[in-house]
Amino acid sequence: MEAIEELAVQPCTSSRYLRPFRLSYRQNGTKKFWDFMRTHDSVSILIFNTSRQCFVVVKQFRPAVYMCEVERHHPQVFQNQDKDSFPSLENPLPAVVGVTYELCAGIVDKPGLSLEEIACEEVLEECGYRVSIADLRRITSYRSGVGVTGSRQTLFYAEVNDQMRTSGGGGQPEEGELIEVVEIPLAESMKFAYDETFPKTMGVIFSFMWFHNNIAPKLPKK
């Protein structure tokens, strides 16, 4: 996962996932404009393994996170953003600065499938557990990237056990996915959530808090 080589930044003239636009409008008599991107909505799933009392999350390299760290250390990288070429990334940072912990998730890009069906597919592909729609509990939906994309993510909860695991997960290599499945023990989950040495998404923090408020009090006492 951390064997990153031959890094090169270049202009993005087209994308399967992002479409940039500029909206001009008048608000309270003032003329304004705002640049934004359209992208897919998504689903995410908080997975709790009842056999081992742990959360199942994923770990993967995120180029956007990596490049934020690169710019923080080498601000000159994006200084030529309006030109056709960028400086080469000599002596790049270690790839680990772009690795994050996240909930199992996926984009909504299959019109024939419901959000629940897409969520079940993602749990199987990324984490190796076979769940049904009946195993899912919808927690809520929310907007992410409100200043840039405004896309909607729908969060589900699923309980699994060791017998439901049919593979090691890891995503779909043919689509370029390289995902590591990570287990976070329930007893250590809130410490993990607030430990900034483990880069993570807000979805991890929020869902762990939701679990401790709504599910943990109903668990059998040891």
Side-chain angles (χ1 to χ4, degrees):
M1 178 181 297
E2 297 176 11
I4 306 297
E5 302 174 301
E6 300 180 9
L7 291 91
V9 180
Q10 55 192 338
C12 180
T13 57
S14 64
S15 171
R16 292 174 55 192
Y17 306 104
L18 301 174
R19 291 175 293 152
F21 296 93
R22 172 169 292 178
L23 177 69
S24 60
Y25 60 101
R26 187 177 297 277
Q27 184 179 31
N28 290 351
T30 301
K31 187 68 174 178
K32 299 181 179 181
F33 71 88
W34 193 269
D35 297 336
F36 67 98
M37 290 189 180
R38 285 300 302 126
T39 186
H40 293 286
D41 290 340
S42 61
V43 297
S44 60
I45 309 94
L46 172 64
I47 304 171
F48 183 68
N49 184 313
T50 58
S51 298
R52 289 194 299 285
Q53 296 288 290
C54 67
F55 294 107
V56 181
V57 301
V58 297
K59 179 181 174 184
Q60 56 187 317
F61 174 77
R62 290 298 194 180
V65 174
Y66 179 83
M67 291 308 299
C68 282
E69 288 299 306
V70 168
E71 184 179 22
R72 189 164 67 88
H73 289 81
H74 306 290
Q76 72 277 8
V77 168
F78 290 106
Q79 288 178 354
N80 294 329
Q81 58 183 349
D82 296 325
K83 300 180 181 180
D84 294 331
S85 62
F86 291 77
S88 59
L89 296 179
E90 299 179 0
N91 300 316
L93 297 176
V96 68
V97 303
V99 174
T100 61
Y101 294 83
E102 311 169 18
L103 297 178
C104 172
I107 60 175
V108 178
D109 62 347
K110 300 174 182 176
L113 299 182
S114 67
L115 296 179
E116 289 79 6
E117 289 171 324
I118 293 175
C120 290
E121 284 191 353
E122 294 298 334
V123 172
L124 180 60
E125 292 172 3
E126 293 192 358
C127 299
Y129 291 92
R130 187 174 299 279
V131 299
S132 67
I133 291 177
D135 296 319
L136 296 177
R137 171 176 173 179
R138 180 175 176 141
I139 298 176
T140 189
S141 64
Y142 44 83
R143 297 288 180 175
S144 58
V146 293
V148 180
T149 67
S151 59
R152 181 191 297 273
Q153 182 166 92
T154 301
L155 173 62
F156 294 96
Y157 170 64
E159 289 186 357
V160 301
N161 56 51
D162 289 345
Q163 287 67 45
M164 296 168 67
R165 193 167 195 185
T166 61
S167 73
Q172 296 182 301
E174 65 273 15
E175 295 185 2
E177 292 184 326
L178 182 59
I179 295 172
E180 179 181 339
V181 181
V182 179
E183 296 182 345
I184 309 297
L186 175 60
E188 302 173 12
S189 58
M190 292 314 298
K191 179 181 178 181
F192 171 83
Y194 288 105
D195 188 340
E196 295 183 11
T197 63
F198 295 101
K200 65 189 72 66
T201 62
M202 178 54 70
V204 171
I205 301 173
F206 169 76
S207 62
F208 281 15
M209 293 176 64
W210 175 87
F211 182 95
H212 279 273
N213 288 331
N214 295 276
I215 305 298
K218 302 174 186 177
L219 294 176
K221 303 296 181 181
K222 292 186 178 180

